[in-house]
Amino acid sequence: MKEFKNTEKLILYEDSEGGNLKILRERKEDEQKEKVLIYQYLDGNIQYGFEGEKIKEIIIEEADELPSFFSQYGFGFSEKTVNNFFRYSFDHPEVDTLIIGGLPSIREGNKLRINIDELEKLITSINQEQRGCNETKKTLVKNMIVDIFPEVNFDRASVNSSKDMVLRNLNDKLIEKLTAEEVQQLGEFYVKATRKFKAGHIIKKINAGLIKNAQMLSLQEIVLKYEKLLNDNPAESEWQKFFDEYITLFDSRYVHKVNYKNIATGITKYPDLVLVDIYGYIDFYELKKSGTELIQFDKSHKSWFWSRDVSMVISQVSDYLQKAKENALSYAKAIKDETETETEPGLEVNIINPRAIIVIGHTKELNTDKKRNQFKNLRESLKDIEFVLYDELLERLKNLLDSIKIENEHKQASVAQLQKPA
């Protein structure tokens, strides 16, 4: 046995007795002079001891020397993240050995075979990520100083990462975390990036796919917010805010919202929403609480009738409709004048047989066939007034989202089929 490396705290030894070269270490502070086996050459391979909770041994196949991504002092992988994962986070009761070599990665009983090129690529990616994070951290600190102390002679810097780092993080899991605004930001970057291509059909194809994905992500976010509101049963004002912000996103019939309160129509009570569809026709929306009682039972006549709250809202929207019909021309002119700008003509609307949509209640109240049938008869008896229950609308949103997902999947499958070699 001979010493071949001496550091501040350790001495490394070579031992070739028995025909197999062994590398051992000794701590200088150890009074017992105990020597611990780090690795040994055996049958053309290197056997490397590993002190993981599950992984106890690493075999490097057909190796003349220890790869650089292993600690020569016997503490595992040189890259800390990889080392900590296999030492503490890897949790498989049947696997206790790693094999590193040139063969494809595969599990073999109690061993995991990892291709050495894939491992080196992983470590390179982690190092790039860490360097990028360090640069980002420095840039964030610098930008904070610039924001707080403008007199400091620094220029703001963009937080950029390497191309490989960005592309690695563009995966399906990221999609679920993005908001509609973040998708829009990505979309703007995406459109700029397409300008490097000269082929117009490529840009159109990319942009069409982007629009569909943005719509899908927007709907996912809308559905989550809608479900929370439906569960909370908030005040009518909260529903008004939600519909005012999102209805033109999840109902493609509508292309414009009219700020009715700014229009001189001679009335003092306004619908919650006034929407214009793609043909220029107007719909009035009235929003009530999702927990509003829909129907009540008349014991004397053994029948169901509208609840007091529903009767009041029917009377309310009937008044909107009547006044709109009586003053159709003046209303249309007032809307056109109000929506006119320096560069755009005012909105041309048709107030001919306008509709009123009442969003109210929940189907859980209609818990018997009798109630469901009576409600159906009552809602169908009204002229130009449509009832939409909150959970019915949620189901429509989910169906729309599913249809967009299916359409995207079909398109992706078609593209993949076309890209297959003949």
Side-chain angles (χ1 to χ4, degrees):
M1 183 181 298
K2 65 177 181 178
E3 177 183 323
F4 84 97
K5 194 173 186 67
N6 196 318
T7 70
E8 183 180 351
K9 295 182 178 181
L10 297 172
I11 303 173
L12 298 190
Y13 296 94
E14 290 183 346
D15 182 2
S16 57
E17 291 183 10
N20 296 323
L21 179 61
K22 298 178 182 179
I23 306 299
L24 304 96
R25 71 166 179 261
E26 175 189 310
R27 291 187 180 275
K28 290 183 177 180
E29 62 185 23
D30 184 7
E31 296 179 357
Q32 304 299 321
K33 304 294 184 181
E34 180 184 6
K35 294 176 177 55
V36 177
L37 177 65
I38 300 175
Y39 61 92
Q40 64 176 324
Y41 292 84
L42 187 65
D43 299 328
N45 302 327
I46 294 178
Q47 288 186 341
Y48 189 99
F50 191 69
E51 298 175 356
E53 293 183 359
K54 299 292 183 180
I55 304 296
K56 301 300 181 183
E57 184 180 47
I58 300 175
I59 299 172
I60 303 103
E61 292 184 320
E62 300 180 2
D64 295 328
E65 60 182 2
L66 191 69
S68 60
F69 48 77
F70 281 105
S71 165
Q72 61 178 311
Y73 303 110
F75 302 111
F77 293 93
S78 302
E79 207 297 309
K80 186 177 180 181
T81 304
V82 175
N83 198 59
N84 286 344
F85 175 80
F86 284 114
R87 190 169 183 179
Y88 304 113
S89 302
F90 184 85
D91 186 15
H92 194 292
E94 299 174 5
V95 175
D96 57 17
T97 303
L98 299 181
I99 302 176
I100 313 297
L103 295 178
S105 299
I106 192 173
R107 180 184 169 187
E108 299 175 346
N110 68 323
K111 301 176 177 64
L112 282 187
R113 178 180 292 280
I114 301 177
N115 180 269
I116 192 169
D117 292 335
E118 292 181 1
L119 182 58
E120 288 178 335
K121 183 177 178 181
L122 167 67
I123 292 172
T124 298
S125 297
I126 290 173
N127 290 335
Q128 288 176 345
E129 194 88 30
Q130 289 172 341
R131 285 195 297 272
C133 286
N134 290 336
E135 288 301 315
T136 297
K137 290 173 186 176
K138 286 193 289 186
T139 301
L140 290 173
V141 174
K142 178 182 177 182
N143 288 344
M144 184 203 73
I145 296 298
V146 173
D147 290 339
I148 298 176
F149 307 106
E151 69 277 9
V152 175
N153 191 23
F154 282 159
D155 293 325
R156 283 188 64 87
S158 298
V159 179
N160 291 319
S161 298
S162 71
K163 180 183 74 173
D164 290 341
M165 188 188 306
V166 173
L167 294 177
R168 277 199 309 276
N169 287 291
L170 292 179
N171 53 57
D172 291 348
K173 290 183 179 179
L174 176 64
I175 292 175
E176 302 298 329
K177 298 178 181 178
L178 292 173
T179 65
E181 290 77 13
E182 289 166 342
V183 172
Q184 182 180 356
Q185 185 179 353
L186 285 173
E188 291 169 355
F189 171 81
Y190 200 48
V191 171
K192 290 178 183 176
T194 61
R195 292 174 185 164
K196 68 180 290 186
F197 296 105
K198 302 298 182 184
H201 69 282
I202 293 178
I203 297 176
K204 288 179 181 178
K205 189 174 182 181
I206 289 173
N207 289 344
L210 180 63
I211 290 169
K212 279 294 181 185
N213 283 328
Q215 185 183 11
M216 183 173 69
L217 286 164
S218 296
L219 277 173
Q220 286 174 336
E221 186 176 356
I222 290 168
V223 166
L224 289 174
K225 289 183 178 180
Y226 193 104
E227 286 177 328
K228 185 178 187 307
L229 284 170
L230 192 57
N231 183 63
D232 294 344
N233 187 27
E236 293 169 14
S237 58
E238 290 300 310
W239 281 115
Q240 290 170 17
K241 289 177 186 177
F242 177 84
F243 275 77
D244 186 62
E245 183 173 358
Y246 294 116
I247 191 166
T248 54
L249 293 177
F250 65 72
D251 196 328
S252 57
R253 291 176 300 172
Y254 299 119
V255 294
H256 197 88
K257 286 182 296 185
V258 176
N259 191 343
Y260 216 58
K261 295 180 182 179
N262 291 341
I263 297 173
T265 55
I267 62 174
T268 56
K269 189 158 182 65
Y270 311 94
D272 291 326
L273 283 172
V274 180
L275 299 168
V276 182
D277 70 15
I278 56 177
Y279 303 107
Y281 291 98
I282 276 186
D283 285 344
F284 298 112
Y285 269 72
E286 194 65 28
L287 309 170
K288 297 301 176 184
K289 291 186 69 173
S290 55
T292 302
E293 183 182 23
L294 297 171
I295 56 178
Q296 294 177 328
F297 187 65
D298 182 352
K299 293 181 180 179
S300 60
H301 295 89
K302 307 294 183 184
S303 63
W304 295 87
F305 62 97
W306 291 123
S307 70
R308 180 177 178 275
D309 286 337
V310 174
S311 297
M312 289 177 64
V313 75
I314 290 174
S315 175
Q316 191 177 342
V317 299
S318 296
D319 189 51
Y320 297 153
L321 294 174
Q322 183 62 30
K323 283 187 168 59
K325 292 174 185 177
E326 291 173 355
N327 301 278
L329 293 178
S330 61
Y331 280 12
K333 184 178 185 304
I335 291 171
K336 180 176 173 60
D337 292 344
E338 175 64 26
T339 56
E340 185 177 2
T341 67
E342 293 182 6
T343 57
E344 296 292 333
L347 197 63
E348 298 279 357
V349 298
N350 297 306
I351 307 180
I352 302 171
N353 293 327
R355 291 188 313 155
I357 292 92
I358 300 171
V359 186
I360 191 171
H362 197 290
T363 57
K364 66 184 178 184
E365 179 188 337
L366 309 173
N367 53 6
T368 67
D369 289 340
K370 186 72 173 176
K371 287 183 182 179
R372 284 189 288 272
N373 291 334
Q374 288 297 317
F375 177 75
K376 181 175 181 292
N377 292 336
L378 287 170
R379 82 195 301 190
E380 290 178 354
S381 68
L382 297 170
K383 188 177 187 311
D384 299 326
I385 298 176
E386 178 184 343
F387 273 85
V388 178
L389 305 186
Y390 278 96
D391 57 317
E392 291 177 338
L393 184 54
L394 176 60
E395 196 62 30
R396 290 185 199 175
L397 287 177
K398 289 181 175 180
N399 290 338
L400 176 59
L401 180 58
D402 288 341
S403 68
I404 293 173
K405 286 181 178 179
I406 291 170
E407 183 181 350
N408 279 359
E409 288 170 0
H410 285 169
K411 285 184 177 179
Q412 289 171 3
S414 298
V415 170
Q417 188 66 30
L418 289 171
Q419 291 176 342
K420 285 183 178 179

